Amino acid sequence: MGALTHASLVEFLLEEAYEVAETIEEGHPDAELRGELGDVLLQVVLHARLAQERGAFTFDDVARGLAAKMVRRNPHVFRPDGSLQDSFPATVAEIEHKWDAVKRAEKPERRDPFEGIPRALPALARAQKSLDRAARAGLGLPPGAPVPESEEELGTLLLAVVRSARDNGMDAERALRAAVRRYQNDPADQNDPAPS
């Protein structure tokens, strides 16, 4: 095996994260979830150790940075000293509004609501995150289509679309990535207004 690098470990970090998601979605026992979360944490430890060997930062720096970020970005939950607030917002919308306001204050140079969405996300996840961000920013959304009543039926429909694309020599993942890119480049060119 070659030398460990951040780049060589990326595939393992992603694999472990997907294993956590699978464990949760399939309702595996808590002991299995605990083990899978440990595997993700090991990846974090390995990356921090590589950075420490370069003199960049340590695992403790990562943990302290996370704690400070959570306090800073969640003033609806934490006081500046890190203690819990006496009361919390009543709705998810209030929490999102406060979160967005803090992020805008941290990075006022950011004008693009899609900035920070990882390009490496699978196309469906990137599409969902892009539409969520666009709706919160009040941008137009692409036209919708009728959907089934349940997520199970939706999954079956999506699988059928992918199968039809495959049968016609198309790559559904690549097609959706391109559609998301076009949308992100010109969300104002969409027909449906953002939901209020």
Side-chain angles (χ1 to χ4, degrees):
M1 184 172 177
L4 291 181
T5 66
H6 291 295
S8 73
L9 290 173
V10 166
E11 70 177 286
F12 302 107
L13 176 62
L14 294 174
E15 182 180 329
E16 297 299 351
Y18 281 119
E19 287 180 13
V20 168
E22 184 177 301
T23 299
I24 293 168
E25 290 170 355
E26 293 183 0
H28 291 278
D30 286 341
E32 191 168 335
L33 176 58
R34 183 183 65 231
E36 295 299 345
L37 289 170
D39 292 345
V40 170
L41 184 57
L42 174 61
Q43 295 303 310
V44 174
V45 169
L46 288 172
H47 281 280
R49 180 57 193 230
L50 289 174
Q52 182 177 353
E53 288 174 3
R54 288 194 330 273
F57 58 84
T58 67
F59 181 82
D60 286 347
D61 296 329
V62 172
R64 276 193 296 275
L66 174 61
K69 179 175 166 181
M70 288 300 100
V71 169
R72 186 177 67 247
R73 288 199 178 169
N74 294 280
H76 53 285
V77 176
F78 301 104
R79 294 184 183 105
D81 67 1
S83 63
L84 290 175
Q85 294 283 4
D86 294 327
S87 62
F88 304 113
T91 67
V92 171
E94 282 181 79
I95 292 170
E96 285 179 347
H97 178 73
K98 288 177 185 289
W99 175 271
D100 288 342
V102 170
K103 286 188 81 172
R104 276 193 307 277
E106 281 182 3
K107 299 191 178 191
E109 71 282 2
R110 271 195 183 174
R111 299 277 184 248
D112 181 359
F114 307 116
E115 190 175 339
I117 298 175
R119 285 180 172 61
L121 275 179
L124 275 173
R126 191 159 185 221
Q128 180 85 36
K129 194 158 208 48
S130 296
L131 295 174
D132 289 345
R133 292 262 190 101
R136 291 202 327 247
L139 300 176
L141 299 175
V147 294
E149 294 293 316
S150 72
E151 283 194 0
E152 182 178 342
E153 293 169 311
L154 176 61
T156 300
L157 174 62
L158 290 170
L159 185 59
V161 168
V162 171
R163 185 254 163 112
S164 296
R166 182 189 86 45
D167 290 352
N168 286 285
M170 293 183 239
D171 181 319
E173 178 80 9
R174 183 175 58 229
L176 183 55
R177 273 197 315 269
V180 170
R181 244 187 337 270
R182 287 192 304 273
Y183 172 67
Q184 287 181 340
N185 288 336
D186 196 4
D189 192 34
Q190 303 306 314
N191 299 332
D192 292 355
S196 52

